Amino acid sequence: MNTKYSNLFESLTFKNGITIKNRVVMAPMTTWSSNDDYTVSDQEVNYYKRRVHGVGLVITGCTHVQPNGIGFTHEFAAYDDKFIPSLRKLADAAKSGGAPALLQIFHAGNKALPSLTPNGDVVSSSAVETEATAFAPSVLPRELSNDEILEVIHAFGETTRRAIEAGFDGVEVHGAHGFLLQNFFSPFFNRREDEWGGSLENRLRFPLAVIQEIKKVIKNHATKPFIFGYRISPEEQGGYGIEDAYELIDRLVEQDLDYIHVSLDDVSSTPRGIKDIKTRLELILEQINGRVPVMAAGSMVTADDIASALDKGLSLAAVGHTLIMNPDWVEKVQNGKETEIKTAINTSQVSDLELPEKLWGIIQASGPWFKIED
Ligand SMILES: Cc1cc2nc3c(=O)[nH]c(=O)nc-3n(C[C@H](O)[C@H](O)[C@H](O)COP(=O)(O)O)c2cc1C
């Protein structure tokens, strides 16, 4: 290994005592590939097994905690105990490389797919129409009632219990990408006038209640250390900016989490509307100031990209696209073969990549999302 990459291979011990062998994390990535009954498919199992040997930590794609929280087609489910055997299958695959594995849990909120939710019901903090995205249509969601909010909080706890029973080493709450947790924090989408909306304190109430519920479940059900992380988007398109996110971050820091995960398109991007020469990542690292380990994802492709982010104080680098294209990314760097890291998917090598058919279909249909070459 080239010694300039030695910081990638430093171990990290979470506050709960779990140690991971290096700083490279498999980013949470949906595969759109469950069976029709939302159980984990064999193709998904093979996809994970192919990618989990080198990384220090594995995070699964998101799974919905309630039936109306589904955000993607063929997204494996975790909203009922009947899914525990399926989750166990995924936990076994995700842990098969020796690294701890976390289940990413979420509710898609106003980005849920009406074609897949019971009775087409789409819920959010408030009834504010959404814009269509690449994966979800424009909808006018229904505002959750107080009782329903308490049910969602309970559902996050129940899904955490299932993650424990299925053998996962932790959970990551997906509070990013405009899904339900963000629908509550967002002053744009949250127009409520009760205790769940309005002031900053009220908009934070739902995310913080979900965290409390999960902590309670971990305390009552986990028989060994269990990792608990929380993913955020530091800015919202048309909504909150990075300075608002600092408030969220500060409150998350107080929650005694194992890490905070910042989802960025690009770790070298700068914040919207702020004439600052610092990147979003640098600003967030300054804000957190070593109070909790920070994970970030966003266009880290080469070993140099990760080494330089770690040098800035990042604790953990989550990699997405590059791990899809290079299942042995870590091994390549470890063996001094970083020049062999591919930046495109070669169609003749798709079977070696163990890409589930549906994921490969999405990749091919998604234009510039991935570079494909013949
Ligand atoms: C195929 C694919 C599926 C994704 N699914 C999820 C997901 O389920 N949950 C999530 O938080 N982010 C998801 N993401 C975002 C990634 O976790 C990551 O933040 C993003 O791809 C940027 O990192 P990268 O540039 O290394 O790919 C997905 C990304 C890709 C490419």
Side-chain angles (χ1 to χ4, degrees):
M1 189 236 309
N2 188 323
T3 52
K4 68 179 171 166
Y5 305 132
S6 54
N7 59 357
L8 276 69
F9 296 95
E10 282 170 18
S11 64
L12 180 138
T13 302
F14 291 106
K15 69 166 183 39
N16 66 18
I18 295 182
T19 298
I20 59 172
K21 65 181 175 186
N22 66 48
R23 306 303 179 103
V24 188
V25 178
M26 178 169 178
M29 285 185 285
T30 297
T31 64
W32 289 267
S33 299
S34 76
N35 296 313
D36 288 344
D37 62 1
Y38 299 124
T39 56
V40 170
S41 67
D42 291 341
Q43 290 188 4
E44 283 181 299
V45 162
N46 294 336
Y47 161 90
Y48 279 93
K49 281 189 180 162
R50 181 74 180 88
R51 287 172 174 76
V52 295
H53 290 272
V55 292
L57 184 69
V58 177
I59 308 176
T60 69
C62 56
T63 184
H64 42 298
V65 302
Q66 286 189 315
N68 66 358
I70 184 165
F72 301 96
T73 53
H74 288 98
E75 172 185 290
F76 70 90
Y79 61 79
D80 190 283
D81 282 2
K82 71 179 176 193
F83 293 111
I84 292 175
S86 153
L87 295 172
R88 194 168 289 134
K89 194 167 141 179
L90 180 60
D92 288 347
K95 295 196 303 183
S96 63
L102 315 185
L103 183 69
Q104 193 190 53
I105 63 178
F106 91 134
H107 185 299
N110 66 14
K111 286 179 152 180
L113 300 178
S115 55
L116 297 179
T117 58
N119 305 317
D121 193 29
V122 174
V123 297
S124 181
S125 50
S126 300
V128 176
E129 193 165 354
T130 64
E131 277 182 31
T133 67
F135 299 112
S138 159
V139 291
L140 178 62
R142 181 175 67 76
E143 174 172 311
L144 283 165
S145 70
N146 184 69
D147 284 352
E148 287 174 324
I149 292 174
L150 300 179
E151 282 167 24
V152 185
I153 294 167
H154 182 68
F156 270 96
E158 282 289 274
T159 303
T160 302
R161 174 183 56 75
R162 288 177 202 115
I164 293 168
E165 288 177 23
F168 281 99
D169 301 292
V171 290
E172 176 175 284
V173 169
H174 192 352
H177 301 176
F179 296 124
L180 188 63
L181 282 142
Q182 191 176 319
N183 294 166
F184 273 84
F185 178 64
S186 163
F188 178 78
F189 286 108
N190 186 342
R191 311 277 174 95
R192 302 179 75 97
E193 292 177 356
D194 61 3
E195 63 182 308
W196 304 103
S199 64
L200 172 71
E201 204 55 33
N202 283 356
R203 285 183 286 108
L204 282 166
R205 197 176 304 281
F206 177 66
L208 295 180
V210 166
I211 290 173
Q212 290 316 313
E213 181 72 13
I214 291 174
K215 278 189 185 171
K216 193 176 83 187
V217 168
I218 295 173
K219 191 161 173 272
N220 292 341
H221 293 271
T223 52
K224 54 182 183 164
F226 192 76
I227 298 170
F228 183 10
Y230 193 103
R231 187 170 223 208
I232 63 160
S233 288
E235 287 180 327
E236 180 176 69
Q237 221 180 354
Y240 65 82
I242 194 159
E243 284 167 345
D244 305 298
Y246 291 161
E247 307 273 2
L248 171 63
I249 287 171
D250 280 347
R251 295 304 292 271
L252 291 176
V253 166
E254 291 168 8
Q255 300 307 311
D256 221 18
L257 299 164
D258 289 294
Y259 68 88
I260 294 176
H261 188 174
V262 186
S263 177
L264 297 162
D265 291 344
D266 189 328
V267 287
S268 52
S269 60
T270 51
R272 180 182 77 207
I274 298 182
K275 291 230 176 321
D276 200 314
I277 47 162
K278 290 186 179 157
T279 62
R280 290 181 170 113
L281 180 62
E282 286 165 337
L283 291 166
I284 289 165
L285 289 171
E286 270 180 26
Q287 180 70 21
I288 294 182
N289 195 20
R291 290 179 290 167
V292 61
V294 182
M295 181 188 299
S299 303
M300 287 182 277
V301 173
T302 65
D304 289 299
D305 293 339
I306 295 188
S308 106
L310 295 176
D311 276 343
K312 292 190 174 116
L314 184 68
S315 315
L316 294 161
V319 289
H321 283 76
T322 200
L323 202 64
I324 288 191
M325 293 186 269
N326 302 276
D328 308 312
W329 191 98
V330 176
E331 291 88 332
K332 280 179 181 165
V333 178
Q334 210 157 15
N335 298 327
K337 295 187 173 166
E338 58 275 358
T339 53
E340 292 178 17
I341 290 172
K342 296 192 175 69
T343 54
I345 296 182
N346 192 305
T347 47
S348 65
Q349 287 165 341
V350 168
S351 65
D352 173 53
L353 297 179
E354 291 287 2
L355 291 178
E357 264 164 57
K358 293 195 181 77
L359 175 59
W360 178 225
I362 297 258
I363 288 174
Q364 286 172 298
S366 304
W369 209 27
F370 279 85
K371 220 177 352 159
I372 301 174
E373 57 190 24
D374 290 322

